Amino acid sequence: MADTKTKIVIVGGGFGGVFTALDLGGAGEVTIISDEDHFLFTPMLYEYLSGEVEAWHIAPEYKELLDENAHFVRGSVTDIDLDARQVIVAGRDSVPYDIVILAVGGVTNYAGVSGAAEHTIPFRKLAHADRLRQRMIAALDHIPPSLPPQDVHRALTFAVVGGGASGIELSTKMADLLRDAFRRRALHGEPRVMVVEMSDRVVPGMGDEMRSFVDTSLLESRVEVHTETRVVGVGPNSITLEHAGAHTELETAAVVWVAGVRPNPLVEKLNIEKDKRGLIVVEPTLQVKGHDNIFALGDTALAKDVVPTLAGTAQLAFQEATLVARNVREFQRGGKLHTKHFVELGEALSLGTESAAILAAGQVLSGALARQARFAMYTSRLPTWHHRLRVGASWFLGGKEPRPLQPLGLQG
């Protein structure tokens, strides 16, 4: 295949898709297809919720990121014709390919819990964060200053389902925002933010180095932790929990679901080899088993040479993108494809609006300094140098303080 003629189609515009596209500059006719018009730097979606960052910081439009070496198509991919080598896009002409890269990511897994899909808020997109923030403000707006503390506590109960890193970052951020709103509005008592986790501990895959900082932050933010607890039902304004065989129904202002992902429905359609969880079986080169011209990475690919803590993370997709781009070039020229052992690049957790914890080289940095370091680290991982420059200048010259949960009538 001549490099300048090869049609390379990337399905999905997350970390795996965007960084692969950027690394493939000049390798052929590169097309990236996404149902959104923007990339999302998901590790900082929590800071978008709190107002510490703005949408343009973490969600630049593809037309800003991609140069003349890549073409962007906005649309929903409904199927891929593997025989005809065509990507089927709803409402548009199909897109032909010589090489296709599957980087579609996963979707929220509600695990069949009654009412979860209808009544919870997922947390994967800007729109989800906007919806949650508006729900928090609306709930606060309905609380008169004279309401007794016990009634306030009940009316302002927020449940976060899932005690992994996402659940911890989200719950501590929510708790700090809500307690700040209580002070500003002179409300009695305090809000209730709870994390619900099925296993016997939160962040079950995290090492001991970080765990003590997580536990301390949960206490300081007054987040309730309910381990060995299962969600059995969600209503419009309630959640039902099961613990030790007993069921408890609680009134809720909102339930946020971050309890896991499942393969994208597109992957479920494709006649390619998958494991029992529905993940695409790939070779160490990240080629789909049995299909040399199809590559897969990110949440939907079963890459085996991976440190366990990396599963489902943005940094795994970030690393895999480099390997995929390199191997696509080798595949084009008939060269030897490469493999890679994917390692932990370091852990970084936002812990409320004033603190964070970072693990690097076996050492943990925590507190306000870690918060600054986390911003610096993530600035360096934004997709392009010009975007990094703009965002870095904004964060470190203009500041990044949280935006209060002001009453709806006072929103500016």
Side-chain angles (χ1 to χ4, degrees), residues 201-214 309 344 347 349 359 364:
R201 63 179 65 185
V202 294
V203 285
M206 186 170 288
D208 293 337
E209 302 94 338
M210 292 278 280
R211 185 173 298 282
S212 62
F213 294 96
V214 169
T309 55
E344 178 72 65
E347 292 181 279
L349 285 179
L359 173 65
V364 178

Side-chain angles (χ1 to χ4, degrees), residues 102-113:
L102 302 175
V104 291
V107 296
T108 302
N109 183 6
Y110 296 106
V113 174

Side-chain angles (χ1 to χ4, degrees), residues 277-296:
R277 294 171 295 169
L279 298 176
I280 300 170
V281 178
V282 295
E283 304 288 356
T285 57
L286 298 183
Q287 290 168 294
V288 174
K289 191 170 183 181
H291 298 270
D292 289 349
N293 68 324
I294 305 177
F295 294 79

Side-chain angles (χ1 to χ4, degrees), residues 13-30:
F15 272 82
V18 163
F19 282 94
T20 300
L22 294 173
D23 284 349
L24 279 173
E29 298 177 11
V30 178

